[in-house]
Amino acid sequence: MGFILWPLAQSVYLSLTDWDGASPEKRFVGLANFQRMLGDGLFWRSLGHNLVWVVVGTALTMGVALLLAMFVWNRPRGFTALRTIYFMPQVLPAIIVGIVWSWIYNPAFGIINRALEAVGLESWTRGWLGDPTFALYAVMVASVWATVGLAFVIFTAALHNVDTDLLDAARMDGANGWQRFRHVVIPQLSNAITLVTVLLLVHGFQAFDHVWIMTKGGPDNATQLIATYTYQKAFMENEVGYGSTLSLVLTVISLLVSVAVVRVRERA
């Protein structure tokens, strides 16, 4: 517990100071950093990017993971190999994922632009990571690819506990595939869905590694998230006090959202 509470207490203390991270004196400024944050346009822009990342990224990751889990539910031929392939991106270092996807998005030799050119869609080609309109979503796709494996494993394990007798009964009552999935399978996956949702929400608010490796928050702050903005302020611009304020707010937001999701699922 001390490994959690002590750093948290230090963050709270530093958020009340104006410290550059090197000087021996930490000048106490009270709530000035929080006041500054409320008027910081880039903070609000970063928060907006985080919200987009959380909503779209969580929905996309859960959808893909559940689809893959349903595909291997009946253990088709090559089940073990498929499960390994789906989970493999989860264990790759973030720097490897970032470098590989940067190559994929490369405007000169990236596979996406080459594929678009091959099917006659040259007008769709672009510098994906250099275009402010698409950069955030491009990095998000890479992050979803890297994180979908964990959600897939959780959903696969949960599907083994689904009561197939209920599915057979629903089929005999005339329910189609979607109705059986919606009214029989999904309710029995409620605990797994709650767990995956909370994990993805926390990951979404704290997303940093893939963004920093691929774009460093650019172009023109189009992919700036609160975590990358915090790192930039604290360790690149030596504003440790303000960086601590940003990190503290990020922690509170993640905690509140996680608790809210769990409460909503418990009442459902």
Side-chain angles (χ1 to χ4, degrees), residues 209-235:
D209 44 10
H210 298 127
V211 177
W212 192 257
I213 293 167
M214 296 175 69
T215 65
K216 288 184 171 57
D220 191 27
N221 294 310
T223 61
Q224 194 77 270
L225 304 178
I226 297 180
T228 58
Y229 188 41
T230 299
Y231 180 87
Q232 177 180 317
K233 285 296 181 183
F235 300 106

mmCIF file with all atom_site columns, all heavy atoms in Angstrom, residues 209-235:
data_model
loop_
_atom_site.group_PDB
_atom_site.id
_atom_site.type_symbol
_atom_site.label_atom_id
_atom_site.label_alt_id
_atom_site.label_comp_id
_atom_site.label_asym_id
_atom_site.label_entity_id
_atom_site.label_seq_id
_atom_site.pdbx_PDB_ins_code
_atom_site.Cartn_x
_atom_site.Cartn_y
_atom_site.Cartn_z
_atom_site.occupancy
_atom_site.B_iso_or_equiv
_atom_site.pdbx_formal_charge
_atom_site.auth_seq_id
_atom_site.auth_comp_id
_atom_site.auth_asym_id
_atom_site.auth_atom_id
_atom_site.pdbx_PDB_model_num
ATOM 1   N N   . ASP A 1 209 ? 2.207  5.392  -24.569 1.00 0.00 ? 209 ASP A N   1
ATOM 2   C CA  . ASP A 1 209 ? 3.361  4.828  -25.263 1.00 0.00 ? 209 ASP A CA  1
ATOM 3   C C   . ASP A 1 209 ? 3.240  4.863  -26.782 1.00 0.00 ? 209 ASP A C   1
ATOM 4   O O   . ASP A 1 209 ? 4.145  5.354  -27.474 1.00 0.00 ? 209 ASP A O   1
ATOM 5   C CB  . ASP A 1 209 ? 3.646  3.405  -24.773 1.00 0.00 ? 209 ASP A CB  1
ATOM 6   C CG  . ASP A 1 209 ? 2.390  2.561  -24.640 1.00 0.00 ? 209 ASP A CG  1
ATOM 7   O OD1 . ASP A 1 209 ? 1.316  3.004  -25.108 1.00 0.00 ? 209 ASP A OD1 1
ATOM 8   O OD2 . ASP A 1 209 ? 2.476  1.460  -24.053 1.00 0.00 ? 209 ASP A OD2 1
ATOM 9   N N   . HIS A 1 210 ? 2.143  4.350  -27.344 1.00 0.00 ? 210 HIS A N   1
ATOM 10  C CA  . HIS A 1 210 ? 2.026  4.296  -28.801 1.00 0.00 ? 210 HIS A CA  1
ATOM 11  C C   . HIS A 1 210 ? 1.970  5.706  -29.398 1.00 0.00 ? 210 HIS A C   1
ATOM 12  O O   . HIS A 1 210 ? 2.557  5.964  -30.451 1.00 0.00 ? 210 HIS A O   1
ATOM 13  C CB  . HIS A 1 210 ? 0.777  3.503  -29.200 1.00 0.00 ? 210 HIS A CB  1
ATOM 14  C CG  . HIS A 1 210 ? 0.813  2.085  -28.734 1.00 0.00 ? 210 HIS A CG  1
ATOM 15  N ND1 . HIS A 1 210 ? -0.185 1.508  -28.008 1.00 0.00 ? 210 HIS A ND1 1
ATOM 16  C CD2 . HIS A 1 210 ? 1.759  1.114  -28.882 1.00 0.00 ? 210 HIS A CD2 1
ATOM 17  C CE1 . HIS A 1 210 ? 0.116  0.253  -27.735 1.00 0.00 ? 210 HIS A CE1 1
ATOM 18  N NE2 . HIS A 1 210 ? 1.297  0.006  -28.233 1.00 0.00 ? 210 HIS A NE2 1
ATOM 19  N N   . VAL A 1 211 ? 1.277  6.614  -28.719 1.00 0.00 ? 211 VAL A N   1
ATOM 20  C CA  . VAL A 1 211 ? 1.189  7.989  -29.212 1.00 0.00 ? 211 VAL A CA  1
ATOM 21  C C   . VAL A 1 211 ? 2.563  8.648  -29.204 1.00 0.00 ? 211 VAL A C   1
ATOM 22  O O   . VAL A 1 211 ? 2.975  9.276  -30.189 1.00 0.00 ? 211 VAL A O   1
ATOM 23  C CB  . VAL A 1 211 ? 0.203  8.812  -28.348 1.00 0.00 ? 211 VAL A CB  1
ATOM 24  C CG1 . VAL A 1 211 ? 0.179  10.262 -28.821 1.00 0.00 ? 211 VAL A CG1 1
ATOM 25  C CG2 . VAL A 1 211 ? -1.188 8.217  -28.415 1.00 0.00 ? 211 VAL A CG2 1
ATOM 26  N N   . TRP A 1 212 ? 3.286  8.495  -28.116 1.00 0.00 ? 212 TRP A N   1
ATOM 27  C CA  . TRP A 1 212 ? 4.584  9.156  -28.008 1.00 0.00 ? 212 TRP A CA  1
ATOM 28  C C   . TRP A 1 212 ? 5.580  8.591  -29.006 1.00 0.00 ? 212 TRP A C   1
ATOM 29  O O   . TRP A 1 212 ? 6.370  9.336  -29.605 1.00 0.00 ? 212 TRP A O   1
ATOM 30  C CB  . TRP A 1 212 ? 5.122  9.023  -26.588 1.00 0.00 ? 212 TRP A CB  1
ATOM 31  C CG  . TRP A 1 212 ? 6.301  9.912  -26.342 1.00 0.00 ? 212 TRP A CG  1
ATOM 32  C CD1 . TRP A 1 212 ? 7.619  9.556  -26.293 1.00 0.00 ? 212 TRP A CD1 1
ATOM 33  C CD2 . TRP A 1 212 ? 6.262  11.325 -26.143 1.00 0.00 ? 212 TRP A CD2 1
ATOM 34  N NE1 . TRP A 1 212 ? 8.402  10.649 -26.072 1.00 0.00 ? 212 TRP A NE1 1
ATOM 35  C CE2 . TRP A 1 212 ? 7.592  11.764 -25.976 1.00 0.00 ? 212 TRP A CE2 1
ATOM 36  C CE3 . TRP A 1 212 ? 5.231  12.253 -26.092 1.00 0.00 ? 212 TRP A CE3 1
ATOM 37  C CZ2 . TRP A 1 212 ? 7.913  13.086 -25.763 1.00 0.00 ? 212 TRP A CZ2 1
ATOM 38  C CZ3 . TRP A 1 212 ? 5.550  13.584 -25.872 1.00 0.00 ? 212 TRP A CZ3 1
ATOM 39  C CH2 . TRP A 1 212 ? 6.885  13.982 -25.714 1.00 0.00 ? 212 TRP A CH2 1
ATOM 40  N N   . ILE A 1 213 ? 5.555  7.294  -29.197 1.00 0.00 ? 213 ILE A N   1
ATOM 41  C CA  . ILE A 1 213 ? 6.497  6.665  -30.128 1.00 0.00 ? 213 ILE A CA  1
ATOM 42  C C   . ILE A 1 213 ? 6.204  7.069  -31.571 1.00 0.00 ? 213 ILE A C   1
ATOM 43  O O   . ILE A 1 213 ? 7.113  7.329  -32.353 1.00 0.00 ? 213 ILE A O   1
ATOM 44  C CB  . ILE A 1 213 ? 6.438  5.133  -29.981 1.00 0.00 ? 213 ILE A CB  1
ATOM 45  C CG1 . ILE A 1 213 ? 6.969  4.716  -28.609 1.00 0.00 ? 213 ILE A CG1 1
ATOM 46  C CG2 . ILE A 1 213 ? 7.246  4.448  -31.090 1.00 0.00 ? 213 ILE A CG2 1
ATOM 47  C CD1 . ILE A 1 213 ? 6.667  3.285  -28.246 1.00 0.00 ? 213 ILE A CD1 1
ATOM 48  N N   . MET A 1 214 ? 4.906  7.157  -31.925 1.00 0.00 ? 214 MET A N   1
ATOM 49  C CA  . MET A 1 214 ? 4.531  7.375  -33.321 1.00 0.00 ? 214 MET A CA  1
ATOM 50  C C   . MET A 1 214 ? 4.429  8.849  -33.707 1.00 0.00 ? 214 MET A C   1
ATOM 51  O O   . MET A 1 214 ? 4.745  9.210  -34.843 1.00 0.00 ? 214 MET A O   1
ATOM 52  C CB  . MET A 1 214 ? 3.204  6.665  -33.607 1.00 0.00 ? 214 MET A CB  1
ATOM 53  C CG  . MET A 1 214 ? 3.295  5.147  -33.460 1.00 0.00 ? 214 MET A CG  1
ATOM 54  S SD  . MET A 1 214 ? 1.697  4.298  -33.648 1.00 0.00 ? 214 MET A SD  1
ATOM 55  C CE  . MET A 1 214 ? 1.399  4.560  -35.403 1.00 0.00 ? 214 MET A CE  1
ATOM 56  N N   . THR A 1 215 ? 3.969  9.712  -32.803 1.00 0.00 ? 215 THR A N   1
ATOM 57  C CA  . THR A 1 215 ? 3.743  11.109 -33.191 1.00 0.00 ? 215 THR A CA  1
ATOM 58  C C   . THR A 1 215 ? 4.241  12.130 -32.181 1.00 0.00 ? 215 THR A C   1
ATOM 59  O O   . THR A 1 215 ? 4.318  13.316 -32.507 1.00 0.00 ? 215 THR A O   1
ATOM 60  C CB  . THR A 1 215 ? 2.227  11.368 -33.396 1.00 0.00 ? 215 THR A CB  1
ATOM 61  O OG1 . THR A 1 215 ? 1.551  11.210 -32.136 1.00 0.00 ? 215 THR A OG1 1
ATOM 62  C CG2 . THR A 1 215 ? 1.637  10.418 -34.419 1.00 0.00 ? 215 THR A CG2 1
ATOM 63  N N   . LYS A 1 216 ? 4.504  11.698 -30.941 1.00 0.00 ? 216 LYS A N   1
ATOM 64  C CA  . LYS A 1 216 ? 4.889  12.623 -29.869 1.00 0.00 ? 216 LYS A CA  1
ATOM 65  C C   . LYS A 1 216 ? 3.855  13.749 -29.674 1.00 0.00 ? 216 LYS A C   1
ATOM 66  O O   . LYS A 1 216 ? 4.197  14.872 -29.316 1.00 0.00 ? 216 LYS A O   1
ATOM 67  C CB  . LYS A 1 216 ? 6.270  13.215 -30.127 1.00 0.00 ? 216 LYS A CB  1
ATOM 68  C CG  . LYS A 1 216 ? 7.400  12.216 -29.933 1.00 0.00 ? 216 LYS A CG  1
ATOM 69  C CD  . LYS A 1 216 ? 8.744  12.858 -30.114 1.00 0.00 ? 216 LYS A CD  1
ATOM 70  C CE  . LYS A 1 216 ? 9.864  11.911 -29.692 1.00 0.00 ? 216 LYS A CE  1
ATOM 71  N NZ  . LYS A 1 216 ? 9.848  10.615 -30.406 1.00 0.00 ? 216 LYS A NZ  1
ATOM 72  N N   . GLY A 1 217 ? 2.600  13.420 -29.923 1.00 0.00 ? 217 GLY A N   1
ATOM 73  C CA  . GLY A 1 217 ? 1.540  14.395 -29.727 1.00 0.00 ? 217 GLY A CA  1
ATOM 74  C C   . GLY A 1 217 ? 1.211  15.231 -30.945 1.00 0.00 ? 217 GLY A C   1
ATOM 75  O O   . GLY A 1 217 ? 0.206  15.940 -30.965 1.00 0.00 ? 217 GLY A O   1
ATOM 76  N N   . GLY A 1 218 ? 2.026  15.163 -31.991 1.00 0.00 ? 218 GLY A N   1
ATOM 77  C CA  . GLY A 1 218 ? 1.797  15.933 -33.204 1.00 0.00 ? 218 GLY A CA  1
ATOM 78  C C   . GLY A 1 218 ? 0.888  15.192 -34.174 1.00 0.00 ? 218 GLY A C   1
ATOM 79  O O   . GLY A 1 218 ? 0.375  14.126 -33.841 1.00 0.00 ? 218 GLY A O   1
ATOM 80  N N   . PRO A 1 219 ? 0.680  15.743 -35.357 1.00 0.00 ? 219 PRO A N   1
ATOM 81  C CA  . PRO A 1 219 ? 1.152  17.062 -35.797 1.00 0.00 ? 219 PRO A CA  1
ATOM 82  C C   . PRO A 1 219 ? 0.258  18.178 -35.259 1.00 0.00 ? 219 PRO A C   1
ATOM 83  O O   . PRO A 1 219 ? -0.961 18.003 -35.171 1.00 0.00 ? 219 PRO A O   1
ATOM 84  C CB  . PRO A 1 219 ? 1.026  16.966 -37.320 1.00 0.00 ? 219 PRO A CB  1
ATOM 85  C CG  . PRO A 1 219 ? -0.120 16.007 -37.527 1.00 0.00 ? 219 PRO A CG  1
ATOM 86  C CD  . PRO A 1 219 ? -0.025 15.005 -36.403 1.00 0.00 ? 219 PRO A CD  1
ATOM 87  N N   . ASP A 1 220 ? 0.858  19.276 -34.886 1.00 0.00 ? 220 ASP A N   1
ATOM 88  C CA  . ASP A 1 220 ? 0.127  20.427 -34.358 1.00 0.00 ? 220 ASP A CA  1
ATOM 89  C C   . ASP A 1 220 ? -0.780 20.031 -33.198 1.00 0.00 ? 220 ASP A C   1
ATOM 90  O O   . ASP A 1 220 ? -1.925 20.459 -33.105 1.00 0.00 ? 220 ASP A O   1
ATOM 91  C CB  . ASP A 1 220 ? -0.689 21.085 -35.476 1.00 0.00 ? 220 ASP A CB  1
ATOM 92  C CG  . ASP A 1 220 ? -1.253 22.442 -35.061 1.00 0.00 ? 220 ASP A CG  1
ATOM 93  O OD1 . ASP A 1 220 ? -0.645 23.095 -34.186 1.00 0.00 ? 220 ASP A OD1 1
ATOM 94  O OD2 . ASP A 1 220 ? -2.311 22.824 -35.591 1.00 0.00 ? 220 ASP A OD2 1
ATOM 95  N N   . ASN A 1 221 ? -0.250 19.151 -32.314 1.00 0.00 ? 221 ASN A N   1
ATOM 96  C CA  . ASN A 1 221 ? -0.978 18.686 -31.118 1.00 0.00 ? 221 ASN A CA  1
ATOM 97  C C   . ASN A 1 221 ? -2.256 17.905 -31.458 1.00 0.00 ? 221 ASN A C   1
ATOM 98  O O   . ASN A 1 221 ? -3.140 17.768 -30.613 1.00 0.00 ? 221 ASN A O   1
ATOM 99  C CB  . ASN A 1 221 ? -1.339 19.861 -30.207 1.00 0.00 ? 221 ASN A CB  1
ATOM 100 C CG  . ASN A 1 221 ? -0.117 20.530 -29.611 1.00 0.00 ? 221 ASN A CG  1
ATOM 101 O OD1 . ASN A 1 221 ? 0.761  19.875 -29.065 1.00 0.00 ? 221 ASN A OD1 1
ATOM 102 N ND2 . ASN A 1 221 ? -0.051 21.853 -29.736 1.00 0.00 ? 221 ASN A ND2 1
ATOM 103 N N   . ALA A 1 222 ? -2.361 17.387 -32.666 1.00 0.00 ? 222 ALA A N   1
ATOM 104 C CA  . ALA A 1 222 ? -3.570 16.666 -33.082 1.00 0.00 ? 222 ALA A CA  1
ATOM 105 C C   . ALA A 1 222 ? -3.721 15.328 -32.371 1.00 0.00 ? 222 ALA A C   1
ATOM 106 O O   . ALA A 1 222 ? -4.827 14.779 -32.327 1.00 0.00 ? 222 ALA A O   1
ATOM 107 C CB  . ALA A 1 222 ? -3.560 16.447 -34.599 1.00 0.00 ? 222 ALA A CB  1
ATOM 108 N N   . THR A 1 223 ? -2.627 14.788 -31.834 1.00 0.00 ? 223 THR A N   1
ATOM 109 C CA  . THR A 1 223 ? -2.704 13.522 -31.103 1.00 0.00 ? 223 THR A CA  1
ATOM 110 C C   . THR A 1 223 ? -2.281 13.703 -29.648 1.00 0.00 ? 223 THR A C   1
ATOM 111 O O   . THR A 1 223 ? -1.987 12.721 -28.961 1.00 0.00 ? 223 THR A O   1
ATOM 112 C CB  . THR A 1 223 ? -1.814 12.445 -31.759 1.00 0.00 ? 223 THR A CB  1
ATOM 113 O OG1 . THR A 1 223 ? -0.450 12.880 -31.746 1.00 0.00 ? 223 THR A OG1 1
ATOM 114 C CG2 . THR A 1 223 ? -2.249 12.175 -33.186 1.00 0.00 ? 223 THR A CG2 1
ATOM 115 N N   . GLN A 1 224 ? -2.277 14.931 -29.199 1.00 0.00 ? 224 GLN A N   1
ATOM 116 C CA  . GLN A 1 224 ? -1.877 15.191 -27.817 1.00 0.00 ? 224 GLN A CA  1
ATOM 117 C C   . GLN A 1 224 ? -2.929 14.654 -26.850 1.00 0.00 ? 224 GLN A C   1
ATOM 118 O O   . GLN A 1 224 ? -4.106 14.997 -26.941 1.00 0.00 ? 224 GLN A O   1
ATOM 119 C CB  . GLN A 1 224 ? -1.707 16.690 -27.597 1.00 0.00 ? 224 GLN A CB  1
ATOM 120 C CG  . GLN A 1 224 ? -0.980 17.067 -26.328 1.00 0.00 ? 224 GLN A CG  1
ATOM 121 C CD  . GLN A 1 224 ? 0.513  16.880 -26.430 1.00 0.00 ? 224 GLN A CD  1
ATOM 122 O OE1 . GLN A 1 224 ? 1.020  15.805 -26.126 1.00 0.00 ? 224 GLN A OE1 1
ATOM 123 N NE2 . GLN A 1 224 ? 1.228  17.914 -26.858 1.00 0.00 ? 224 GLN A NE2 1
ATOM 124 N N   . LEU A 1 225 ? -2.517 13.788 -25.941 1.00 0.00 ? 225 LEU A N   1
ATOM 125 C CA  . LEU A 1 225 ? -3.372 13.271 -24.884 1.00 0.00 ? 225 LEU A CA  1
ATOM 126 C C   . LEU A 1 225 ? -2.886 13.842 -23.552 1.00 0.00 ? 225 LEU A C   1
ATOM 127 O O   . LEU A 1 225 ? -1.802 14.413 -23.471 1.00 0.00 ? 225 LEU A O   1
ATOM 128 C CB  . LEU A 1 225 ? -3.335 11.748 -24.859 1.00 0.00 ? 225 LEU A CB  1
ATOM 129 C CG  . LEU A 1 225 ? -3.713 11.016 -26.157 1.00 0.00 ? 225 LEU A CG  1
ATOM 130 C CD1 . LEU A 1 225 ? -3.587 9.515  -25.966 1.00 0.00 ? 225 LEU A CD1 1
ATOM 131 C CD2 . LEU A 1 225 ? -5.122 11.384 -26.603 1.00 0.00 ? 225 LEU A CD2 1
ATOM 132 N N   . ILE A 1 226 ? -3.671 13.668 -22.511 1.00 0.00 ? 226 ILE A N   1
ATOM 133 C CA  . ILE A 1 226 ? -3.274 14.227 -21.220 1.00 0.00 ? 226 ILE A CA  1
ATOM 134 C C   . ILE A 1 226 ? -1.953 13.623 -20.758 1.00 0.00 ? 226 ILE A C   1
ATOM 135 O O   . ILE A 1 226 ? -1.099 14.319 -20.213 1.00 0.00 ? 226 ILE A O   1
ATOM 136 C CB  . ILE A 1 226 ? -4.374 13.987 -20.169 1.00 0.00 ? 226 ILE A CB  1
ATOM 137 C CG1 . ILE A 1 226 ? -5.656 14.715 -20.560 1.00 0.00 ? 226 ILE A CG1 1
ATOM 138 C CG2 . ILE A 1 226 ? -3.917 14.500 -18.798 1.00 0.00 ? 226 ILE A CG2 1
ATOM 139 C CD1 . ILE A 1 226 ? -6.790 14.548 -19.586 1.00 0.00 ? 226 ILE A CD1 1
ATOM 140 N N   . ALA A 1 227 ? -1.762 12.317 -20.974 1.00 0.00 ? 227 ALA A N   1
ATOM 141 C CA  . ALA A 1 227 ? -0.528 11.668 -20.527 1.00 0.00 ? 227 ALA A CA  1
ATOM 142 C C   . ALA A 1 227 ? 0.685  12.210 -21.277 1.00 0.00 ? 227 ALA A C   1
ATOM 143 O O   . ALA A 1 227 ? 1.736  12.462 -20.680 1.00 0.00 ? 227 ALA A O   1
ATOM 144 C CB  . ALA A 1 227 ? -0.639 10.154 -20.696 1.00 0.00 ? 227 ALA A CB  1
ATOM 145 N N   . THR A 1 228 ? 0.557  12.388 -22.596 1.00 0.00 ? 228 THR A N   1
ATOM 146 C CA  . THR A 1 228 ? 1.693  12.921 -23.362 1.00 0.00 ? 228 THR A CA  1
ATOM 147 C C   . THR A 1 228 ? 1.937  14.384 -23.019 1.00 0.00 ? 228 THR A C   1
ATOM 148 O O   . THR A 1 228 ? 3.081  14.841 -22.972 1.00 0.00 ? 228 THR A O   1
ATOM 149 C CB  . THR A 1 228 ? 1.436  12.765 -24.869 1.00 0.00 ? 228 THR A CB  1
ATOM 150 O OG1 . THR A 1 228 ? 0.229  13.453 -25.232 1.00 0.00 ? 228 THR A OG1 1
ATOM 151 C CG2 . THR A 1 228 ? 1.316  11.300 -25.251 1.00 0.00 ? 228 THR A CG2 1
ATOM 152 N N   . TYR A 1 229 ? 0.865  15.119 -22.775 1.00 0.00 ? 229 TYR A N   1
ATOM 153 C CA  . TYR A 1 229 ? 0.997  16.528 -22.381 1.00 0.00 ? 229 TYR A CA  1
ATOM 154 C C   . TYR A 1 229 ? 1.671  16.637 -21.014 1.00 0.00 ? 229 TYR A C   1
ATOM 155 O O   . TYR A 1 229 ? 2.515  17.507 -20.788 1.00 0.00 ? 229 TYR A O   1
ATOM 156 C CB  . TYR A 1 229 ? -0.379 17.184 -22.357 1.00 0.00 ? 229 TYR A CB  1
ATOM 157 C CG  . TYR A 1 229 ? -0.365 18.680 -22.158 1.00 0.00 ? 229 TYR A CG  1
ATOM 158 C CD1 . TYR A 1 229 ? 0.582  19.487 -22.801 1.00 0.00 ? 229 TYR A CD1 1
ATOM 159 C CD2 . TYR A 1 229 ? -1.299 19.299 -21.332 1.00 0.00 ? 229 TYR A CD2 1
ATOM 160 C CE1 . TYR A 1 229 ? 0.589  20.860 -22.621 1.00 0.00 ? 229 TYR A CE1 1
ATOM 161 C CE2 . TYR A 1 229 ? -1.300 20.673 -21.149 1.00 0.00 ? 229 TYR A CE2 1
ATOM 162 C CZ  . TYR A 1 229 ? -0.356 21.452 -21.786 1.00 0.00 ? 229 TYR A CZ  1
ATOM 163 O OH  . TYR A 1 229 ? -0.345 22.805 -21.608 1.00 0.00 ? 229 TYR A OH  1
ATOM 164 N N   . THR A 1 230 ? 1.312  15.728 -20.116 1.00 0.00 ? 230 THR A N   1
ATOM 165 C CA  . THR A 1 230 ? 1.935  15.688 -18.790 1.00 0.00 ? 230 THR A CA  1
ATOM 166 C C   . THR A 1 230 ? 3.430  15.425 -18.900 1.00 0.00 ? 230 THR A C   1
ATOM 167 O O   . THR A 1 230 ? 4.260  16.103 -18.261 1.00 0.00 ? 230 THR A O   1
ATOM 168 C CB  . THR A 1 230 ? 1.282  14.594 -17.921 1.00 0.00 ? 230 THR A CB  1
ATOM 169 O OG1 . THR A 1 230 ? -0.108 14.893 -17.759 1.00 0.00 ? 230 THR A OG1 1
ATOM 170 C CG2 . THR A 1 230 ? 1.946  14.502 -16.567 1.00 0.00 ? 230 THR A CG2 1
ATOM 171 N N   . TYR A 1 231 ? 3.791  14.441 -19.714 1.00 0.00 ? 231 TYR A N   1
ATOM 172 C CA  . TYR A 1 231 ? 5.210  14.111 -19.906 1.00 0.00 ? 231 TYR A CA  1
ATOM 173 C C   . TYR A 1 231 ? 5.958  15.304 -20.506 1.00 0.00 ? 231 TYR A C   1
ATOM 174 O O   . TYR A 1 231 ? 7.075  15.633 -20.082 1.00 0.00 ? 231 TYR A O   1
ATOM 175 C CB  . TYR A 1 231 ? 5.332  12.899 -20.822 1.00 0.00 ? 231 TYR A CB  1
ATOM 176 C CG  . TYR A 1 231 ? 6.753  12.467 -21.080 1.00 0.00 ? 231 TYR A CG  1
ATOM 177 C CD1 . TYR A 1 231 ? 7.394  11.592 -20.201 1.00 0.00 ? 231 TYR A CD1 1
ATOM 178 C CD2 . TYR A 1 231 ? 7.456  12.927 -22.183 1.00 0.00 ? 231 TYR A CD2 1
ATOM 179 C CE1 . TYR A 1 231 ? 8.705  11.199 -20.423 1.00 0.00 ? 231 TYR A CE1 1
ATOM 180 C CE2 . TYR A 1 231 ? 8.770  12.537 -22.416 1.00 0.00 ? 231 TYR A CE2 1
ATOM 181 C CZ  . TYR A 1 231 ? 9.383  11.673 -21.527 1.00 0.00 ? 231 TYR A CZ  1
ATOM 182 O OH  . TYR A 1 231 ? 10.677 11.283 -21.740 1.00 0.00 ? 231 TYR A OH  1
ATOM 183 N N   . GLN A 1 232 ? 5.338  15.941 -21.482 1.00 0.00 ? 232 GLN A N   1
ATOM 184 C CA  . GLN A 1 232 ? 5.978  17.083 -22.127 1.00 0.00 ? 232 GLN A CA  1
ATOM 185 C C   . GLN A 1 232 ? 6.246  18.200 -21.135 1.00 0.00 ? 232 GLN A C   1
ATOM 186 O O   . GLN A 1 232 ? 7.340  18.783 -21.110 1.00 0.00 ? 232 GLN A O   1
ATOM 187 C CB  . GLN A 1 232 ? 5.074  17.583 -23.255 1.00 0.00 ? 232 GLN A CB  1
ATOM 188 C CG  . GLN A 1 232 ? 5.588  18.822 -23.961 1.00 0.00 ? 232 GLN A CG  1
ATOM 189 C CD  . GLN A 1 232 ? 4.643  19.268 -25.066 1.00 0.00 ? 232 GLN A CD  1
ATOM 190 O OE1 . GLN A 1 232 ? 4.135  18.469 -25.829 1.00 0.00 ? 232 GLN A OE1 1
ATOM 191 N NE2 . GLN A 1 232 ? 4.388  20.570 -25.131 1.00 0.00 ? 232 GLN A NE2 1
ATOM 192 N N   . LYS A 1 233 ? 5.255  18.503 -20.298 1.00 0.00 ? 233 LYS A N   1
ATOM 193 C CA  . LYS A 1 233 ? 5.407  19.587 -19.329 1.00 0.00 ? 233 LYS A CA  1
ATOM 194 C C   . LYS A 1 233 ? 6.412  19.236 -18.230 1.00 0.00 ? 233 LYS A C   1
ATOM 195 O O   . LYS A 1 233 ? 7.258  20.053 -17.864 1.00 0.00 ? 233 LYS A O   1
ATOM 196 C CB  . LYS A 1 233 ? 4.048  19.922 -18.704 1.00 0.00 ? 233 LYS A CB  1
ATOM 197 C CG  . LYS A 1 233 ? 3.116  20.702 -19.616 1.00 0.00 ? 233 LYS A CG  1
ATOM 198 C CD  . LYS A 1 233 ? 3.702  22.069 -19.930 1.00 0.00 ? 233 LYS A CD  1
ATOM 199 C CE  . LYS A 1 233 ? 2.806  22.898 -20.802 1.00 0.00 ? 233 LYS A CE  1
ATOM 200 N NZ  . LYS A 1 233 ? 3.400  24.205 -21.162 1.00 0.00 ? 233 LYS A NZ  1
ATOM 201 N N   . ALA A 1 234 ? 6.308  18.016 -17.707 1.00 0.00 ? 234 ALA A N   1
ATOM 202 C CA  . ALA A 1 234 ? 7.120  17.647 -16.552 1.00 0.00 ? 234 ALA A CA  1
ATOM 203 C C   . ALA A 1 234 ? 8.573  17.371 -16.913 1.00 0.00 ? 234 ALA A C   1
ATOM 204 O O   . ALA A 1 234 ? 9.482  17.786 -16.188 1.00 0.00 ? 234 ALA A O   1
ATOM 205 C CB  . ALA A 1 234 ? 6.509  16.436 -15.857 1.00 0.00 ? 234 ALA A CB  1
ATOM 206 N N   . PHE A 1 235 ? 8.807  16.673 -18.036 1.00 0.00 ? 235 PHE A N   1
ATOM 207 C CA  . PHE A 1 235 ? 10.154 16.191 -18.314 1.00 0.00 ? 235 PHE A CA  1
ATOM 208 C C   . PHE A 1 235 ? 10.849 16.858 -19.493 1.00 0.00 ? 235 PHE A C   1
ATOM 209 O O   . PHE A 1 235 ? 12.054 16.716 -19.654 1.00 0.00 ? 235 PHE A O   1
ATOM 210 C CB  . PHE A 1 235 ? 10.117 14.678 -18.548 1.00 0.00 ? 235 PHE A CB  1
ATOM 211 C CG  . PHE A 1 235 ? 9.595  13.916 -17.360 1.00 0.00 ? 235 PHE A CG  1
ATOM 212 C CD1 . PHE A 1 235 ? 8.321  13.364 -17.373 1.00 0.00 ? 235 PHE A CD1 1
ATOM 213 C CD2 . PHE A 1 235 ? 10.363 13.768 -16.224 1.00 0.00 ? 235 PHE A CD2 1
ATOM 214 C CE1 . PHE A 1 235 ? 7.834  12.671 -16.272 1.00 0.00 ? 235 PHE A CE1 1
ATOM 215 C CE2 . PHE A 1 235 ? 9.889  13.082 -15.122 1.00 0.00 ? 235 PHE A CE2 1
ATOM 216 C CZ  . PHE A 1 235 ? 8.617  12.535 -15.143 1.00 0.00 ? 235 PHE A CZ  1
#
